[in-house]
Protein backbone atom coordinates (compact mmCIF):
# COMPACT_ATOMS: atom_id res chain seq x y z
CA UNK A 1 0.00 0.00 0.00
CA UNK A 2 0.97 3.69 0.03
CA UNK A 3 4.25 4.24 1.86
CA UNK A 4 5.15 0.55 1.72
CA UNK A 5 7.21 -0.30 -1.37
CA UNK A 6 7.27 -4.03 -0.58
CA UNK A 7 4.74 -6.59 0.63
CA UNK A 8 4.32 -7.37 4.31
CA UNK A 9 6.47 -9.98 6.02
CA UNK A 10 3.70 -12.58 5.94
CA UNK A 11 2.50 -11.70 2.45
CA UNK A 12 3.24 -15.30 1.39
CA UNK A 13 0.90 -16.63 4.10
CA UNK A 14 -2.24 -14.57 3.54
CA UNK A 15 -4.41 -14.75 0.44
CA UNK A 16 -6.48 -17.12 -1.69
CA UNK A 17 -5.07 -20.63 -1.53
CA UNK A 18 -2.41 -19.72 1.04
CA UNK A 19 -2.13 -20.90 4.63
CA UNK A 20 -4.45 -18.11 5.81
CA UNK A 21 -6.81 -18.75 2.92
CA UNK A 22 -8.93 -15.65 2.34
CA UNK A 23 -11.31 -17.63 0.15
CA UNK A 24 -12.30 -19.46 3.35
CA UNK A 25 -11.44 -17.11 6.24
CA UNK A 26 -11.84 -13.45 7.02
CA UNK A 27 -8.43 -12.17 8.21
CA UNK A 28 -8.21 -9.15 10.51
CA UNK A 29 -4.77 -7.63 11.21
CA UNK A 30 -5.30 -4.68 13.55
CA UNK A 31 -2.78 -1.87 13.73
CA UNK A 32 -1.26 -1.92 17.20
CA UNK A 33 -2.32 0.78 19.63
CA UNK A 34 0.60 3.14 20.23
CA UNK A 35 1.91 2.76 16.70
CA UNK A 36 2.27 5.47 14.08
CA UNK A 37 0.56 4.18 10.94
CA UNK A 38 -3.17 4.18 11.50
CA UNK A 39 -3.66 3.66 15.22
CA UNK A 40 -3.48 6.30 17.94
CA UNK A 41 0.06 6.91 19.19
CA UNK A 42 2.33 9.67 20.51
CA UNK A 43 2.38 11.43 17.12
CA UNK A 44 -1.44 11.55 16.95
CA UNK A 45 -3.47 14.70 17.50
CA UNK A 46 -4.96 14.91 20.98
CA UNK A 47 -8.27 16.44 22.06
CA UNK A 48 -7.86 20.19 22.51
CA UNK A 49 -5.05 20.48 19.97
CA UNK A 50 -1.40 19.50 19.66
CA UNK A 51 0.13 16.03 19.70
CA UNK A 52 0.09 13.47 22.49
CA UNK A 53 3.88 13.32 22.65
CA UNK A 54 5.13 12.52 26.18
CA UNK A 55 1.57 12.66 27.57
CA UNK A 56 0.65 9.52 25.67
CA UNK A 57 -0.16 6.92 28.34
CA UNK A 58 2.01 3.95 29.21
CA UNK A 59 0.61 0.86 27.45
CA UNK A 60 0.73 -2.85 28.22
CA UNK A 61 0.00 -5.76 25.92
CA UNK A 62 -3.24 -6.15 27.86
CA UNK A 63 -4.23 -2.60 26.94
CA UNK A 64 -3.52 -3.32 23.29
CA UNK A 65 -5.71 -6.44 23.40
CA UNK A 66 -8.49 -4.42 25.04
CA UNK A 67 -8.36 -2.12 21.99
CA UNK A 68 -8.43 -5.15 19.68
CA UNK A 69 -11.43 -6.53 21.54
CA UNK A 70 -13.23 -3.20 21.05
CA UNK A 71 -12.45 -3.50 17.34
CA UNK A 72 -13.86 -7.04 17.28
CA UNK A 73 -17.01 -5.76 18.98
CA UNK A 74 -17.35 -3.01 16.36
CA UNK A 75 -16.95 -5.58 13.59
CA UNK A 76 -19.51 -7.90 15.21
CA UNK A 77 -16.98 -10.69 15.85
CA UNK A 78 -17.89 -12.55 19.03
CA UNK A 79 -15.20 -15.22 18.69
CA UNK A 80 -12.09 -15.64 16.55
CA UNK A 81 -11.50 -18.97 14.83
CA UNK A 82 -7.80 -18.41 15.60
CA UNK A 83 -5.54 -15.79 17.11
CA UNK A 84 -2.05 -15.92 15.61
CA UNK A 85 1.04 -13.88 16.39
CA UNK A 86 4.80 -13.81 16.71
CA UNK A 87 7.10 -11.73 18.93
CA UNK A 88 4.99 -8.80 20.21
CA UNK A 89 2.08 -10.27 18.25
CA UNK A 90 2.62 -13.49 20.17
CA UNK A 91 2.42 -11.59 23.44
CA UNK A 92 -0.94 -10.19 22.38
CA UNK A 93 -2.12 -13.60 21.18
CA UNK A 94 -1.30 -15.00 24.63
CA UNK A 95 -3.26 -12.18 26.25
CA UNK A 96 -6.27 -13.02 24.08
CA UNK A 97 -6.12 -16.69 25.08
CA UNK A 98 -5.60 -16.01 28.80
CA UNK A 99 -7.83 -12.96 29.22
CA UNK A 100 -10.59 -13.81 26.73
CA UNK A 101 -10.55 -17.60 26.26
CA UNK A 102 -14.25 -17.64 25.36
CA UNK A 103 -13.44 -15.46 22.32
CA UNK A 104 -10.35 -17.39 21.19
CA UNK A 105 -11.15 -20.49 19.16
CA UNK A 106 -7.54 -21.59 18.75
CA UNK A 107 -4.06 -20.16 19.31
CA UNK A 108 -0.71 -20.01 17.55
CA UNK A 109 2.12 -18.37 19.50
CA UNK A 110 5.49 -17.86 17.83
CA UNK A 111 8.84 -16.71 19.22
CA UNK A 112 7.69 -15.00 22.40
CA UNK A 113 7.83 -15.59 26.17
CA UNK A 114 5.23 -15.76 28.91
CA UNK A 115 6.94 -12.74 30.47
CA UNK A 116 9.84 -10.53 29.41
CA UNK A 117 13.11 -11.60 31.02
CA UNK A 118 15.71 -9.34 32.63
CA UNK A 119 17.93 -9.60 29.54
CA UNK A 120 15.06 -8.76 27.19
CA UNK A 121 14.17 -5.74 29.33
CA UNK A 122 17.84 -4.74 29.25
CA UNK A 123 17.98 -4.87 25.43
CA UNK A 124 14.81 -2.80 25.23
CA UNK A 125 16.01 -0.30 27.80
CA UNK A 126 19.25 0.53 25.99
CA UNK A 127 17.24 1.17 22.81
CA UNK A 128 14.95 3.54 24.69
CA UNK A 129 17.99 5.25 26.24
CA UNK A 130 19.52 5.74 22.77
CA UNK A 131 16.39 7.60 21.64
CA UNK A 132 16.00 9.67 24.79
CA UNK A 133 19.68 10.67 24.77
CA UNK A 134 19.30 12.31 21.34
CA UNK A 135 19.12 16.10 21.97
CA UNK A 136 16.36 16.29 19.34
CA UNK A 137 14.14 14.09 21.54
CA UNK A 138 13.18 17.23 23.52
CA UNK A 139 11.59 15.17 26.29
CA UNK A 140 9.27 13.70 23.67
CA UNK A 141 7.96 17.07 22.46
CA UNK A 142 9.63 17.01 19.04
CA UNK A 143 6.60 16.25 16.85
CA UNK A 144 6.03 19.86 15.84
CA UNK A 145 9.72 20.52 15.17
CA UNK A 146 10.74 21.67 11.68
CA UNK A 147 11.28 18.93 9.09
CA UNK A 148 14.40 16.96 9.88
CA UNK A 149 14.32 17.96 13.53
CA UNK A 150 13.28 14.69 15.16
CA UNK A 151 15.47 12.29 17.18
CA UNK A 152 16.54 10.38 14.08
CA UNK A 153 20.07 9.61 15.25
CA UNK A 154 18.82 8.03 18.47
CA UNK A 155 16.14 6.11 16.62
CA UNK A 156 18.73 4.81 14.15
CA UNK A 157 20.99 3.62 16.98
CA UNK A 158 18.04 1.89 18.65
CA UNK A 159 17.26 0.10 15.41
CA UNK A 160 20.88 -1.02 15.00
CA UNK A 161 20.88 -2.49 18.51
CA UNK A 162 17.56 -4.24 17.92
CA UNK A 163 18.57 -5.69 14.57
CA UNK A 164 21.60 -7.41 16.08
CA UNK A 165 19.26 -9.20 18.51
CA UNK A 166 16.92 -10.18 15.67
CA UNK A 167 19.59 -12.15 13.78
CA UNK A 168 21.97 -14.94 14.79
CA UNK A 169 25.75 -14.74 15.15
CA UNK A 170 26.36 -17.60 12.65
CA UNK A 171 24.21 -15.89 10.02
CA UNK A 172 26.02 -12.56 10.43
CA UNK A 173 29.34 -14.37 10.28
CA UNK A 174 28.42 -16.28 7.13
CA UNK A 175 26.99 -13.24 5.34
CA UNK A 176 29.56 -10.64 6.32
CA UNK A 177 32.47 -12.07 8.28
CA UNK A 178 35.08 -9.38 8.86
CA UNK A 179 34.85 -8.10 5.31
CA UNK A 180 35.14 -4.37 4.62
CA UNK A 181 32.49 -2.58 2.61
CA UNK A 182 33.79 -2.20 -0.97
CA UNK A 183 35.34 1.18 -1.57
CA UNK A 184 36.43 1.95 1.98
CA UNK A 185 38.60 0.16 4.55
CA UNK A 186 37.49 0.42 8.22
CA UNK A 187 41.00 1.41 9.26
CA UNK A 188 40.89 4.39 6.92
CA UNK A 189 37.44 5.80 7.56
CA UNK A 190 35.41 3.07 5.84
CA UNK A 191 32.99 0.53 7.24
CA UNK A 192 32.79 -3.19 7.75
CA UNK A 193 30.09 -4.89 5.67
CA UNK A 194 28.07 -5.65 8.79
CA UNK A 195 28.18 -1.95 9.74
CA UNK A 196 26.82 -1.03 6.32
CA UNK A 197 24.05 -3.61 6.79
CA UNK A 198 23.02 -2.11 10.14
CA UNK A 199 23.20 1.42 8.72
CA UNK A 200 20.89 0.37 5.90
CA UNK A 201 18.25 -1.01 8.25
CA UNK A 202 18.52 2.04 10.51
CA UNK A 203 17.94 4.38 7.56
CA UNK A 204 14.91 2.34 6.43
CA UNK A 205 13.25 2.52 9.83
CA UNK A 206 13.95 6.21 10.40
CA UNK A 207 12.14 7.07 7.16
CA UNK A 208 8.94 5.27 8.13
CA UNK A 209 8.63 5.15 11.92
CA UNK A 210 8.10 7.50 14.85
CA UNK A 211 10.54 7.53 17.77
CA UNK A 212 7.74 8.06 20.30
CA UNK A 213 5.95 4.96 19.05
CA UNK A 214 9.22 3.03 19.20
CA UNK A 215 9.58 3.96 22.89
CA UNK A 216 5.92 3.22 23.66
CA UNK A 217 5.94 -0.22 22.00
CA UNK A 218 9.32 -1.19 23.46
CA UNK A 219 8.07 -0.30 26.95
CA UNK A 220 4.99 -2.44 26.30
CA UNK A 221 7.21 -5.39 25.37
CA UNK A 222 9.36 -4.84 28.46
CA UNK A 223 6.21 -4.85 30.60
CA UNK A 224 4.86 -8.10 29.14
CA UNK A 225 3.86 -10.58 31.86
CA UNK A 226 0.87 -12.79 31.19
CA UNK A 227 0.77 -13.77 34.86
CA UNK A 228 0.53 -10.24 36.27
CA UNK A 229 -2.51 -9.99 38.55
CA UNK A 230 -3.51 -13.57 37.68
CA UNK A 231 -1.65 -15.55 40.32
CA UNK A 232 1.54 -15.91 38.28
CA UNK A 233 2.44 -17.30 34.87
CA UNK A 234 1.58 -20.94 35.58
CA UNK A 235 -1.89 -20.11 36.88
CA UNK A 236 -2.57 -17.78 33.94
CA UNK A 237 -1.51 -20.31 31.32
CA UNK A 238 -3.77 -22.98 32.81
CA UNK A 239 -6.68 -20.96 31.38
CA UNK A 240 -5.53 -21.71 27.82
CA UNK A 241 -7.53 -24.84 27.05
CA UNK A 242 -8.41 -24.19 23.41
CA UNK A 243 -6.35 -25.98 20.71
CA UNK A 244 -2.93 -24.31 20.77
CA UNK A 245 0.39 -24.53 18.97
CA UNK A 246 3.57 -23.01 20.42
CA UNK A 247 6.63 -22.62 18.22
CA UNK A 248 10.05 -21.03 18.49
CA UNK A 249 13.09 -20.54 16.28
CA UNK A 250 16.08 -22.73 17.06
CA UNK A 251 18.59 -19.87 16.48
CA UNK A 252 16.60 -17.13 18.31
CA UNK A 253 18.84 -15.36 20.81
CA UNK A 254 16.33 -12.63 21.70
CA UNK A 255 13.48 -14.97 22.74
CA UNK A 256 15.27 -18.31 23.16
CA UNK A 257 13.56 -21.61 22.47
CA UNK A 258 13.52 -22.45 26.20
CA UNK A 259 10.89 -19.75 26.72
CA UNK A 260 8.57 -21.35 24.19
CA UNK A 261 9.23 -24.74 25.78
CA UNK A 262 7.94 -23.24 29.05
CA UNK A 263 4.78 -22.10 27.30
CA UNK A 264 4.17 -25.43 25.57
CA UNK A 265 4.60 -27.32 28.83
CA UNK A 266 2.26 -25.03 30.80
CA UNK A 267 -0.59 -24.58 28.29
CA UNK A 268 -3.13 -27.42 28.60
CA UNK A 269 -4.29 -26.99 25.00
CA UNK A 270 -0.76 -27.39 23.56
CA UNK A 271 0.65 -30.84 22.91
CA UNK A 272 4.37 -30.12 22.45
CA UNK A 273 6.86 -27.47 21.40
CA UNK A 274 7.24 -26.95 17.66
CA UNK A 275 10.63 -25.80 16.37
CA UNK A 276 11.21 -23.61 13.33
CA UNK A 277 14.64 -24.43 11.94
CA UNK A 278 16.35 -21.32 10.63
CA UNK A 279 19.77 -19.61 10.57
CA UNK A 280 18.07 -16.21 10.77
CA UNK A 281 17.55 -15.93 14.52
CA UNK A 282 14.43 -14.23 15.85
CA UNK A 283 13.54 -13.02 12.35
CA UNK A 284 13.08 -16.66 11.36
CA UNK A 285 9.42 -16.46 12.39
CA UNK A 286 8.98 -13.82 9.66
CA UNK A 287 11.23 -15.37 7.02
CA UNK A 288 10.48 -19.11 7.22
CA UNK A 289 6.98 -18.77 5.79
CA UNK A 290 6.78 -22.38 4.59
CA UNK A 291 7.33 -23.71 8.11
CA UNK A 292 5.00 -21.12 9.66
CA UNK A 293 2.41 -21.86 6.98
CA UNK A 294 2.43 -25.55 7.86
CA UNK A 295 1.75 -24.65 11.51
CA UNK A 296 -1.12 -22.36 10.53
CA UNK A 297 -2.67 -25.04 8.32
CA UNK A 298 -2.42 -27.56 11.16
CA UNK A 299 -4.06 -25.15 13.58
CA UNK A 300 -6.89 -24.18 11.24
CA UNK A 301 -7.62 -27.82 10.42
CA UNK A 302 -8.94 -28.01 13.99
CA UNK A 303 -11.09 -24.89 13.68
Amino acid sequence: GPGHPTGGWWDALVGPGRALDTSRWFVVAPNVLGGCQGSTGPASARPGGGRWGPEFPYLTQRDQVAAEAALADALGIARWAAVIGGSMGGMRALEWAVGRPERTGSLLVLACPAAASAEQIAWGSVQIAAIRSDPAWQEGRYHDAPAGGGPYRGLGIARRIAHVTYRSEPELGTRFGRGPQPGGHPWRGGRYQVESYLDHHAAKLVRRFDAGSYVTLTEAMNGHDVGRGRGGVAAALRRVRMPALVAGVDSDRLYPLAQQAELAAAIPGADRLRTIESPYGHDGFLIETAQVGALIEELLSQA
Side-chain angles (χ1 to χ4, degrees):
H4 296 271
T6 60
W9 276 107
W10 276 4
D11 190 53
L13 295 175
V14 184
R18 298 175 184 172
L20 283 166
D21 187 350
T22 50
S23 63
R24 181 184 179 194
W25 303 103
F26 290 107
V27 178
V28 181
N31 225 334
V32 64
L33 183 63
C36 56
Q37 296 183 358
S39 56
T40 302
S44 301
R46 64 180 300 174
R51 312 286 190 97
W52 279 102
E55 277 73 50
F56 191 80
Y58 182 93
L59 291 180
T60 67
Q61 304 299 330
R62 215 167 289 178
D63 296 326
Q64 292 167 343
V65 168
E68 292 173 352
L71 171 64
D73 292 342
L75 294 173
I77 299 169
R79 184 173 183 267
W80 301 104
V83 178
I84 298 169
S87 194
M88 185 172 71
M91 297 174 186
R92 293 178 2 242
L94 273 176
E95 281 291 340
W96 266 102
V98 171
R100 293 169 171 81
E102 74 286 353
R103 302 188 70 170
T104 308
S106 59
L107 173 71
L108 174 56
V109 174
L110 300 164
C112 87
S117 70
E119 183 178 45
Q120 288 149 4
I121 294 170
W123 281 120
S125 296
V126 294
Q127 293 170 55
I128 293 169
I131 293 171
R132 288 179 169 160
S133 66
D134 187 325
W137 171 247
Q138 298 180 55
E139 301 298 324
R141 303 182 188 281
Y142 64 87
H143 289 102
D144 296 318
Y152 302 123
R153 289 186 179 181
L155 179 58
I157 292 170
R159 174 59 172 171
R160 289 174 178 88
I161 295 167
H163 203 79
V164 173
T165 72
Y166 297 158
R167 297 292 177 135
S168 73
E169 188 278 330
E171 188 232 351
L172 294 177
T174 299
R175 287 181 67 181
F176 306 112
R178 294 184 46 79
Q181 185 72 356
H185 196 282
W187 296 3
R188 294 183 289 276
R191 294 178 296 173
Y192 290 101
Q193 289 180 19
V194 71
E195 288 181 280
S196 175
Y197 170 71
L198 295 176
D199 291 346
H200 168 72
H201 281 282
K204 280 180 62 179
L205 184 84
V206 163
R207 287 195 297 267
R208 67 176 176 83
F209 212 75
D210 174 60
S213 283
Y214 196 107
V215 169
T216 295
L217 299 180
T218 301
E219 287 180 332
M221 294 178 78
N222 280 354
H224 170 58
D225 180 359
V226 77
R228 175 173 47 84
R230 294 167 171 155
V233 165
L237 294 178
R238 283 196 292 271
R239 304 183 187 187
V240 185
R241 298 187 175 275
M242 71 288 297
L245 296 181
V246 178
V249 182
D250 58 359
S251 58
D252 192 341
R253 59 179 169 182
L254 178 59
Y255 295 119
L257 204 57
Q259 291 185 315
Q260 289 86 63
E262 176 190 10
L263 286 172
I267 291 175
D271 54 356
R272 57 186 170 82
L273 174 66
R274 313 304 175 90
T275 302
I276 296 170
E277 297 179 354
S278 176
Y280 298 113
H282 183 62
D283 274 355
F285 88 92
L286 297 170
I287 295 170
E288 305 292 354
T289 52
Q291 295 181 65
V292 175
L295 295 171
I296 291 172
E297 290 172 349
E298 179 184 352
L299 183 76
L300 293 180
S301 70
Q302 308 172 53

